[in-house]
Amino acid sequence: MPGRGRRTRSKALISHSAASGTVRQSGAFLGDDVALHIKGDIAMTTVAVLGTGIMGAPMARNLLKQGHQVRVWNRTTSRAEPLRDAGGIVAGTPAEAVESADVIITILTDGEAVRETMTGAAAGLRPGQIWAQMSTVGPAALAPLAELAGEHGLVFVDAPVQGTKQPAESGQLIILAAGPADARPVLQPLFDAMGRRTEWLGEDGASGAGTRLKLAGVNYAIALTAVLGESLALAKGLGTDPKLFVDLITGGPLDSAYFQAKTKALLEGDLSPSFTLANAEKDLRLVSQAAAAHGVRLDLTPAAVERFRRAIDQGHGDQDMAAAYLASFDPHR
C-alpha cells in the first residue's frame, strides 16, 4: 500500500500505446478498463464534477488546467457556466455529466444532496467508474452512499478535503482518501491537480477513514474560528481596540496564518465566504452526531453550534464563517 502522506503514482496495472496515445487502466476492482489519454508523461482522465460551488468550481478549474477532460454539473446551472470558458463541458443533468466519465467527483453540501444527485445520475452510470466522494457528509451518511455505489458497480473512494476556498483555488487542499489500491493510479494525478498532499488512509472507502479524520480536522478549524471571534469581540466590548488584540498575538506562539487571515477579514469587514457560516454549522452538527454515536463528550462544539446558529438567525448564513463574531452582539442595540 502506498505510504501515508506521500504522493504516489503507481505504475502497476497501466499499459501505454505510444501509437495511439491511449492508456488502458485495469484491475481487480475496475470492472471495465478505464481509457486515459496521454499528454506528455501524465495520463489525462475524463472527470465528471458534480457540484461547482465555492469548492467544486476551483477544483474543476485546476483539473482543466492540467489538461483533464472535465464535465461539470450544478443544480444552479449559472454557477457552472464560467467553467465553460475554461474548457469544461457544462451538463444539463447529473446523468449527462457522468455518462462518458472515467471518474466521478461529488463535492456537494451534504450526504442527502450527494445521494439525490447520484441517484439522479443513475442512467449515465456504468460498472467500473470510480466515484471519489469528496463532500463532507459524516459517517452516518457514508454507508448508504457506499451501498449506492455497490448497486451500480462503481469503485467507491471516500476522499473529503481539508481546506477552504483559497486552498481550493491554488490547488493546495489536503485530500483524505480511502479506497482500493487499483483506483489510485487513476486518481492520484487528479488529486495532485487539486491538492498539495494526499493521505491514503486505507483500501475500503466504505470504512469512512477519510471522513472520520476530516471531522476531527474540521472541528478544530471551526472551534478555532469561534474562539478567535469571541476574543476579538471581547476586546471590542471591553473598550479595547481589537487591532491591539491582534498585535498581542502576532509573532507569538499562538499566532498562525489562519489567525491572521480571519482577524484581517473581520477588521476590514470583509465577510465574503471562504467557507460559509451555514456550511460550518452543518459540519459542526455532523461532528456532534458522530461524537455522540461513539460516546465522546464534546463541550466546545455544542457551544460553537449555538453561536453559529445565532449568527445565522441574524442573517449571516451566506457569509464567511468568521461572521460568527457578530453573534457576540445584539443587532438591535
Side-chain angles (χ1 to χ4, degrees):
M1 185 172 73
R4 288 176 59 183
R6 295 201 302 269
R7 286 180 170 179
T8 58
R9 293 181 176 83
S10 171
K11 296 181 180 178
L13 309 172
I14 296 179
S15 61
H16 175 209
S17 169
S20 65
T22 299
V23 156
R24 302 303 300 182
Q25 173 74 46
S26 63
F29 289 94
L30 305 182
D32 296 332
D33 286 357
V34 175
L36 311 177
H37 303 284
I38 293 295
K39 182 178 181 180
D41 294 328
I42 301 175
M44 299 295 110
T45 306
T46 299
V47 187
V49 178
L50 305 182
T52 57
I54 288 176
M55 300 294 290
M59 290 164 67
R61 195 175 296 277
N62 283 328
L63 291 170
L64 287 164
K65 287 178 181 178
Q66 293 302 313
H68 297 288
Q69 300 174 24
V70 181
R71 303 172 65 84
V72 298
W73 172 86
N74 196 71
R75 191 180 304 275
T76 304
T77 306
S78 60
R79 300 191 70 177
E81 282 297 336
L83 290 163
R84 194 189 300 275
D85 293 337
I89 298 171
V90 179
T93 66
E96 181 185 340
V98 306
E99 62 185 358
S100 62
D102 304 308
V103 174
I104 301 163
I105 290 173
T106 47
I107 182 73
L108 297 156
T109 304
D110 55 27
E112 183 59 21
V114 174
R115 188 194 63 77
E116 288 182 1
T117 298
M118 287 300 287
T119 299
L125 298 174
R126 68 179 188 277
Q129 288 175 304
I130 300 171
W131 175 12
Q133 202 307 104
M134 306 186 79
S135 321
T136 302
V137 300
L142 197 68
L145 299 181
E147 290 175 7
L148 180 62
E151 291 171 6
H152 293 281
L154 307 180
V155 180
F156 185 72
V157 179
D158 175 38
V161 298
Q162 181 77 1
T164 55
K165 180 182 178 182
Q166 286 76 20
E169 290 176 338
S170 59
Q172 294 294 301
L173 296 167
I174 298 174
I175 297 163
L176 309 173
D182 287 4
R184 297 182 190 183
V186 179
L187 287 176
Q188 195 62 60
L190 308 181
F191 289 170
D192 288 344
M194 297 182 287
R196 64 181 173 87
R197 190 170 91 239
T198 297
E199 292 280 357
W200 284 105
L201 302 166
E203 295 195 9
D204 181 9
S207 72
T211 286
R212 288 181 277 118
L213 180 57
K214 170 63 188 288
L215 290 187
V218 79
N219 186 58
Y220 173 76
I222 297 176
L224 187 61
T225 305
V227 168
L228 70 84
E230 276 196 352
S231 298
L232 207 64
L234 180 62
K236 179 178 179 180
L238 295 177
T240 299
D241 184 350
K243 180 65 168 63
L244 293 176
F245 163 68
V246 176
D247 293 342
L248 174 67
I249 301 300
T250 297
L254 300 179
D255 194 11
S256 68
Y258 189 80
F259 174 85
Q260 293 296 329
K262 292 304 180 187
T263 54
K264 180 176 184 290
L266 286 169
L267 290 175
E268 294 179 354
D270 179 10
L271 294 175
S272 55
S274 176
F275 190 70
T276 68
L277 189 59
N279 275 334
E281 189 271 341
K282 178 269 295 184
D283 283 358
L284 284 179
R285 281 189 282 112
L286 295 178
V287 169
S288 297
Q289 292 164 7
H294 289 80
V296 179
R297 178 174 175 176
L298 301 177
D299 296 309
L300 295 179
T301 301
V305 169
E306 175 58 31
R307 182 175 183 81
F308 280 34
R309 285 177 179 167
R310 195 161 64 247
I312 290 170
D313 290 343
Q314 293 174 0
H316 305 294
D318 291 333
Q319 294 180 320
D320 189 79
M321 63 179 174
Y325 158 84
L326 298 169
S328 290
F329 304 104
D330 184 347
H332 303 296
R333 292 183 59 184

